[in-house]
Structure formats: C-alpha cells, structure tokens
Amino acid sequence: MSKLLEVKDLRVSFHTYNGEVQAVRGVNFHVNKGETLAIVGESGSGKSVTTSAIMGLLPKPQAEIKSGQILFEGEDLVKKSNKEMQKIRGADISMVFQDPMTSLNPTMKVGNQIMEGLIKHQGLSRTEARKKAVELLDQVGIPHPEVRINQYPHQFSGGMRQRVVIAIALACNPKLLIADEPTTALDVTIQAQILELMKDIQKQTESAIIFITHDLGVVANVADRVAVMYAGKIVEMGTVDDIFYDPRHPYTWGLLGSMPTLDSEEEELYAIPGSPPDMLNPPKGDAFAPRNKFALEIDLVKEPPMFQISDTHYAATWLLHEHAPKIEPPASVKKRMEGFAKTGGKA
Amino acid sequence: MVRYVLRRVVYMLITLFIIATLSFFLMKMLPGSPLNAEDKLSEEQKQIVLEKYGLNDPVPVQYVNYLAGLVKGDLGISFAFSNTPVTDILMDRIGPSAQLGAQALVVGTILGVLLGLIAAVFHNGFLDYTSTIIAVIGTSIPNFVFAGILQYFFASELQWFPVALWGDFKHTVLPTMALMIFPMATAARFVRTEMVEVMGSNYIKTARAKGIGEVGIVFKHGLRNALIPLITVIGPMAVSLMTGSMVIEQIFAIPGIGEQFVNSVIMNDYPTIMGTTLLFAALFVAIILIIDLLYGLIDPRIRIGGNNS
Ligand SMILES: Nc1ncnc2c1ncn2[C@@H]1O[C@H](COP(=O)(O)OP(=O)(O)OP(=O)(O)O)[C@@H](O)[C@H]1O
Ligand SMILES: [Mg+2]
C-alpha cells in the first residue's frame, strides 16, 4: 500500500492576546491510498486544526505552522502558495464540514455550488458541469436531481444538505476526502444513512478518507485505522482491531470506557476525570498524566516517546516501557473490549 | 403574490389616510394664521379671504372637504401663492429634489459599499480604521456642516463648482456630495459589519475548500450575501435624504420641495405644508413597500406569497 498523505512532526500555534496556543504539537501520521483513517479525541485536541493545516485553510494572521511537513503524493503542502493550494483544494483534496445547515451558500442554487468546482478544476462548460452535477446529486441519493439542482439550500433538510455538501466534495473525484465530524449535527437515523453513503462512495471512488469524530461507535463502523489525539498529539495509533481489542494508552481506555453501549445496564462507565490541559501552557511531561490514575512518576517529568507494539500499532505512554509495571486496562474497559471482539466492533 | 401586493397597497392607503388626518388636525391646532403676516388687511378683507379658502366652515366640514379633494388628487390651494394649487407647486418643485435625492442615494450607496467592502477585506488593518473613521464622521456630523465646508473649499476657494443656485449639472455636484454623506456612511458601516460576518461563515469555508480564489470568494460568495440585507437600510437612508434636503436645499438655494417646505412653514401656508407632508409620507411608504417586494425577489429564502402562505 502506498502512502497518499504523510504528516511529519506538524506543529501549529495560534498567536492570541494571551499568548501562544500550541494547538498541534508534533503530529505524525500517514494515510494510504483508498483507506479510511479516523482521528478521535476530545474537543480541543487539535483534530480540526490538523485538517485545516492539510487544506491550507488555517486562519491567516493568527495561525502559524511552526514546523513539519505535509507530504501529499510526495509534495510538501506546507511550502505551497495559496494559489497552488487553490488548485489542490476541491480537486485532489476536499472537505466535508460538520454543520450542513450553515455550510452551503444560502443565496446560491445548489446546482451552481456543485458546478463551481467542476468548472474551475476540470474546465467543464456550464452544460457539461450541470449534467455532472445532476449525476452527483443522484449518486449521493437525492431524489429528482434535475429539479433539486435548481433549488436553494433552505429547500433541503439537514440530512439532504449534508448529501449536497458531500456531492460538492466529491465533484472532482478527490484522492483524499476530509470529513470533519460530518454526522455530529444530524440525528441518529440520518447519521447512519450518511455513514452508509460515505462507505458506498469510498467503495465506488476509492478515495482515501480522513474521518474526524469523537464518537468511537462511528469509528468502528467506518475506519480502517485510528489515530487517537490528545492535547495536540497523537497518543495511540493502530488498526481498528488494535484500538478496540488491544488498546494500550490509558486515554484510549478512557475513551472506550466512556462509550455508551446497548447493554450498559452493567457496571459504571469508566469516565476520564478532569478536563483537557490549557494549550497556552501545555504541561511538562505527559499531558495526560494529571488525569491518568495509572500515571507513573516519570510521566510528570518526561514526555513518553512513541512505543511500537506491532507493525501497525503504536502508543505514547511510559506504561509500554520495558521497566514499567505491567498494568491491565480497568475491568469495565476489558469487558467492553471482549464485547467488541464478539460483535466485531459494533457497539 | 398579487393578493399580497394588493393587501400591502391597502395598508399603505390606510397609513396615508391616518397621516393626512393627523396633519390636518395638527395644522388646525397650530397657533397663528396665514393672515398674520398681512396685518395691513382690514377685518373685512380678512373675512373675504377666509371665506374664499373655506376657513369659516366648521372644522369637520373642512376636514371632509379636504379628504374629498385628496381622493381626486387635489391638495387644496396655496395660501401663499394666490390661486396656485398645491399640486402644481409640488410638481413644479419635485424635479430638483428628485434629481438630488437620486444622485445622492446612488453615489452614496456605491461609495459606501466600496468603503465597507474595503474595510471588511482588510479587517482590522489601516484601511479598515480609515474607512470606519469616515463612516463615523459621516453618520455623526450633520450634513449642513459638510455643506458649508464643501462650499468653502470647492466653490469659494477652488472655484470648481458654483456656490449655490440651480442650473446645469455643475450646480448639483456640491449639494449631492453634502446629501450623500449620510447614505454613504450608513452603507459603509452596514456592509462592513455584514461582510465581516459573512466572511467568517461556514459557507465561505466550504467555498475555500472548493478551491475558489479570493476574488470569487469575496464577490461571488461574500458580497452578494452581505448586500442583500443592505436593502433594509435604504428606507432610513431615503428618510434622511428627504429631511436632509430641507436644509441642504435651503443652503444651496435650490428650488426643490425641501426649500418650499421650509418657506411654507415660515409663512403658515397650511395646504402646502400638508401637501408636502403627505407627499413625503407617500414616498416613504412606497419605498418601504418596494423594499419588501425587492427583498422577496432577491433573497431566495423569502418567498412572498409562496406555495403555502
Ligand atoms: N482561531 C483560533 N485561535 C486560537 N486558538 C484556536 C483557534 N482555533 C483553534 N484554536 C485552539 O486550538 C485547539 C484545537 O482546536 P481544534 O478545533 O482543532 O479542536 P478539535 O479537536 O477539532 O475539537 P472539536 O472536537 O471541538 O472540534 C483548541 O485548544 C482551540 O482553542
Ligand atoms: Mg473540530
């Protein structure tokens, strides 16, 4: 499998009145052609900032890429000018945002919003672009596309709008589709439909997907691999099986443990105490240590490196050091893991 | 749609009727009489004049007569210009006022939109502060101050334009500039606020994610959405132009409705005052109706009298 995207030691800071907010602090990951990588983590962990950096859409004066490379098909996107990025955005890499109610232009016909990218990137005539737009609407499951194409966003429901947003993102057959919590704003049945749609589309188009969410249930459903982010870093990374059956980082245990399941009449949820650190002054050592009941002394002093567990599985916790005490996940999380093993990840 | 417009027109007529009634009785309650200025008139002569204008009738009769005249488009006869119907006076005077108002509205709005756009695009930069200062000055300093400044620099010192009076286009330049300050400043402030908000919205992010260039973002996606609500402030702008014209026309000695209105007030020329009030009111109500209809046409989210309502 060849790497489509490789992010190396990415660091992004925001310059604010209060000082420098270190939103992303040295992130490394890659996405292979055609696979789905899920990025999970609490609010504020830096998921959206990471994807904005890939898109070249970080807010202009405040944000700064302090270091790192974003290699897309071998070319470093960090070095590209805004003009060059415009050619890539919407063509090779496109994006689906969280809130479908506000991510479409209210005064532009839906068809025109889809056609815009086609005309710009593929040089289609308006007639050709219109034809393609009808096909796209059909592909994302919107009935009567020839009629719908001439309507405005307010004439669509939330789920339908997200389908339109997906159609816009798919218009130019991107190699990479970034979906930043595409289902969070939708109700549960619609969520499931949109996820199905995205899986279908991936089968048809073979584009790679970065899927951002804080819902692990969704992850099990769509992802091939998972990156768990905490306080601007990736703390654990592995295949879906690695993460669900053999999680190693206490933060991942916390995420799994706090995941509601169908038969949660059982024991108490293993919730993560406390709140994420202030990225204005990131803590010394392991950022998760203050919330981690398994924290070792070294956690407060020195940041853990990435330990390799297998070919695909990595985690940044001192618990994996050869001299560390052997600690098992909490019983409730273990039970959860066994449950996943039985149901194949479906919570 | 047709029903909606008809209903609105009926409301408009009711509004005008109320304004006509109010201004009629207010005039009746005013102290003083149109004949005060002519103290030389004998008691007998005064009676003849009062009789001629129907001012000896009981007030309700006068009121009914006035309304009956209104329906026929007859605003009565001016006290000040003997035997001249008010309608004729207004028709005579509306030209310069309308021309100045239209010029000021069009030029002021265009400049204001540009200023606001520049301010928003260079958000929090030097150009933003400059244009904000211009806008604040424009909305807070009354336009007769500008009129004086303009007259001093461009007429008296530089002699580019005539100081006052009505003639060719050159005569309209300074009064237009004085009048347009307010609409310009209003539009600038409004467009800046709207545009900053629009540029931070999610659909602009979507457009950027599509790879659209900055120019397309600003004009195709941004400006259109920022301009639609501007229609709503055209009403207040129009009012400021109408009232502004009273002072400006006086300063520049322009034979317009505003100047006429001021003179009529000085001379207690009730029919002309009422006629002008009604004309302003009618214009204003009509502008509001047109704005509402336009809004429905331009903003796809508002469908007046659409499928269900
Ligand atoms: N424009 C900005 N100015 C200052 N700080 C910012 C800005 N945007 C993001 N941040 C900070 O960067 C950090 C990461 O934010 P980010 O939006 O990436 O979180 P996230 O993981 O996407 O969270 P969520 O799940 O809520 O979307 C946060 O601490 C946030 O406060
Ligand atoms: Mg986010």
Side-chain angles (χ1 to χ4, degrees):
Chain A
M1 262 200 274
S2 60
K3 287 177 185 172
L4 178 69
L5 177 84
E6 187 166 17
V7 175
K8 286 185 175 166
D9 191 39
L10 181 68
R11 288 169 197 271
V12 182
S13 285
F14 289 93
H15 299 286
T16 68
Y17 287 115
N18 299 326
E20 183 185 333
V21 177
Q22 302 180 21
V24 174
R25 305 183 301 147
V27 158
N28 292 284
F29 67 88
H30 71 272
V31 182
N32 293 319
K33 285 204 171 103
E35 78 168 346
T36 300
L37 172 75
I39 303 182
V40 293
E42 277 170 311
S43 199
S45 53
K47 308 182 296 287
S48 297
V49 173
T50 305
T51 53
S52 296
I54 297 172
M55 291 294 283
L57 287 176
L58 286 168
K60 269 273 168 55
Q62 313 96 298
E64 185 198 350
I65 296 187
K66 307 278 287 190
S67 73
Q69 289 180 309
I70 299 171
L71 300 173
F72 181 74
E73 297 188 306
E75 289 186 55
D76 189 357
L77 300 185
V78 174
K79 296 214 179 75
K80 292 212 183 272
S81 70
N82 192 29
K83 270 257 143 53
E84 291 169 317
M85 282 308 289
Q86 279 168 16
K87 294 212 183 82
I88 295 175
R89 282 201 290 267
D92 295 322
I93 309 180
S94 60
M95 186 142 184
V96 175
F97 294 95
Q98 175 169 350
D99 184 5
M101 299 316 274
T102 57
S103 41
L104 290 170
N105 186 338
T107 59
M108 200 190 246
K109 283 179 184 166
V110 154
N112 287 336
Q113 299 192 47
I114 302 176
M115 287 153 62
E116 229 181 351
L118 291 164
I119 293 168
K120 159 140 187 148
H121 295 297
Q122 305 195 330
L124 300 189
S125 71
R126 283 193 66 81
T127 335
E128 293 164 330
R130 175 169 295 274
K131 227 179 111 210
K132 181 85 208 269
V134 171
E135 286 169 22
L136 282 162
L137 282 182
D138 193 41
Q139 191 186 354
V140 296
I142 289 183
H144 311 298
E146 337 58 51
V147 182
R148 291 299 219 157
I149 199 167
N150 288 318
Q151 294 183 337
Y152 289 93
H154 70 274
Q155 291 165 293
F156 290 71
S157 68
M160 285 294 172
R161 285 192 213 188
Q162 197 61 310
R163 287 172 193 264
V164 172
V165 174
I166 292 171
I168 291 175
L170 288 178
C172 302
N173 295 322
K175 294 172 186 142
L176 176 63
L177 180 68
I178 300 175
D180 192 347
E181 310 200 29
T183 59
T184 314
L186 302 170
D187 64 52
V188 185
T189 43
I190 310 291
Q191 274 186 18
Q193 290 172 8
I194 296 288
L195 287 181
E196 268 328 292
L197 172 67
M198 295 199 60
K199 283 202 279 187
D200 275 0
I201 280 167
Q202 187 170 35
K203 257 184 234 139
Q204 289 170 32
T205 63
E206 295 178 339
S207 57
I209 298 181
I210 295 180
F211 197 104
I212 294 182
T213 176
H214 35 227
D215 183 349
L216 277 176
V218 170
V219 172
N221 198 350
V222 298
D224 299 309
R225 286 188 310 126
V226 185
V228 180
M229 256 187 110
Y230 184 77
K233 294 193 168 196
I234 290 179
V235 294
E236 184 161 6
M237 172 109 202
T239 62
V240 167
D241 288 355
D242 293 335
I243 299 294
F244 281 84
Y245 308 150
D246 186 23
R248 294 302 181 91
H249 198 285
Y251 179 64
T252 314
W253 295 346
L255 287 181
L256 288 169
S258 54
M259 198 179 144
T261 55
L262 285 180
D263 45 66
S264 46
E265 88 286 337
E266 32 174 298
E267 75 298 327
E268 84 291 359
L269 292 179
Y270 171 75
I272 308 169
S275 52
D278 175 12
M279 301 314 286
L280 264 172
N281 316 293
K284 210 169 159 239
D286 183 353
F288 186 58
R291 305 170 70 186
N292 180 6
K293 67 174 174 186
F294 308 106
L296 307 173
E297 251 163 62
I298 187 172
D299 276 323
L300 300 170
V301 188
K302 202 166 163 9
E303 235 175 307
M306 266 292 180
F307 289 95
Q308 181 163 9
I309 300 145
S310 71
D311 272 0
T312 53
H313 194 180
Y314 300 80
T317 166
W318 284 117
L319 293 179
L320 292 172
H321 192 269
E322 48 185 332
H323 298 314
K326 288 281 156 273
I327 288 177
E328 291 284 307
S332 62
V333 176
K334 258 193 136 164
K335 221 165 149 193
R336 201 69 48 100
M337 286 153 53
E338 284 156 15
F340 293 137
K342 264 183 265 150
T343 57
K346 299 263 179 339
Chain B
M1 184 70 190
V2 176
R3 271 187 52 194
Y4 175 82
V5 176
L6 281 179
R7 205 169 66 212
R8 289 294 305 261
V9 170
V10 170
Y11 288 155
M12 217 171 107
L13 293 176
I14 295 174
T15 313
L16 288 179
F17 165 76
I18 294 172
I19 291 172
T21 307
L22 276 177
S23 59
F24 179 86
F25 287 104
L26 278 174
M27 286 298 126
K28 288 291 149 202
M29 279 156 58
L30 274 186
S33 128
L35 303 181
N36 278 355
E38 267 108 305
D39 280 333
K40 287 150 277 168
L41 291 181
S42 69
E43 211 35 54
E44 200 180 339
Q45 285 171 307
K46 276 191 185 174
Q47 278 310 316
I48 294 172
V49 174
L50 288 177
E51 196 59 43
K52 177 182 165 203
Y53 288 105
L55 292 173
N56 282 333
D57 297 338
V59 172
V61 175
Q62 288 185 34
Y63 174 62
V64 172
N65 285 343
Y66 181 66
L67 285 187
L70 269 191
V71 175
K72 287 181 281 179
D74 175 6
L75 293 167
I77 302 216
S78 165
F79 291 169
F81 303 91
S82 42
N83 290 328
T84 317
V86 172
T87 329
D88 287 1
I89 295 181
L90 293 181
M91 290 310 275
D92 214 33
R93 294 260 177 165
I94 200 161
S97 295
Q99 188 185 346
L100 284 185
Q103 284 178 192
L105 189 65
V106 171
V107 180
T109 310
I110 292 175
L111 289 181
V113 168
L114 282 177
L115 267 181
L117 185 64
I118 290 170
V121 170
F122 301 99
H123 188 34
N124 288 338
F126 172 73
L127 285 171
D128 184 11
Y129 295 126
T130 314
S131 104
T132 306
I133 290 172
I134 296 178
V136 169
I137 292 176
T139 34
S140 49
I141 297 182
N143 53 14
F144 56 80
V145 175
F146 292 113
I149 295 173
L150 290 171
Q151 280 176 325
Y152 176 74
F153 280 107
F154 294 107
S156 168
E157 292 292 306
L158 294 169
Q159 311 229 328
W160 288 357
F161 302 105
V163 182
L165 293 179
W166 191 246
D168 55 9
F169 177 73
K170 273 194 139 181
H171 288 88
T172 70
V173 174
L174 294 186
T176 301
M177 280 168 73
L179 266 181
M180 81 181 192
I181 299 275
F182 186 82
M184 182 184 84
T186 312
R189 288 209 316 188
F190 193 85
V191 167
R192 179 189 179 273
T193 316
E194 284 293 321
M195 193 68 186
V196 166
E197 190 181 319
V198 165
M199 290 306 278
S201 67
N202 282 339
Y203 57 84
I204 294 293
K205 253 199 256 165
T206 308
R208 289 220 163 92
K210 255 187 265 183
I212 308 296
E214 265 326 282
V215 176
I217 298 274
V218 167
F219 289 97
K220 221 167 144 194
H221 290 270
L223 194 57
R224 189 188 152 93
N225 284 292
L227 282 191
I228 289 175
L230 182 67
I231 301 172
T232 55
V233 293
I234 290 181
M237 284 189 204
V239 173
S240 89
L241 288 179
M242 288 180 203
T243 51
S245 70
M246 294 181 195
V247 185
I248 295 298
E249 287 177 8
Q250 199 73 25
I251 292 177
F252 288 95
I254 288 158
I257 290 192
E259 195 230 24
Q260 172 64 53
F261 189 73
V262 176
N263 290 335
S264 305
V265 171
I266 293 170
M267 291 195 279
N268 274 334
D269 185 354
Y270 301 150
T272 313
I273 298 175
M274 286 191 288
T276 315
T277 310
L278 267 184
L279 178 68
F280 279 174
L283 282 175
F284 184 54
V285 180
I287 286 172
I288 293 192
L289 175 63
I290 292 169
I291 288 169
D292 282 0
L293 295 179
L294 262 184
Y295 212 115
L297 282 182
I298 296 177
D299 191 332
R301 283 163 296 185
I302 300 170
R303 276 286 130 86
I304 294 167
N307 336 335
N308 32 27
S309 71

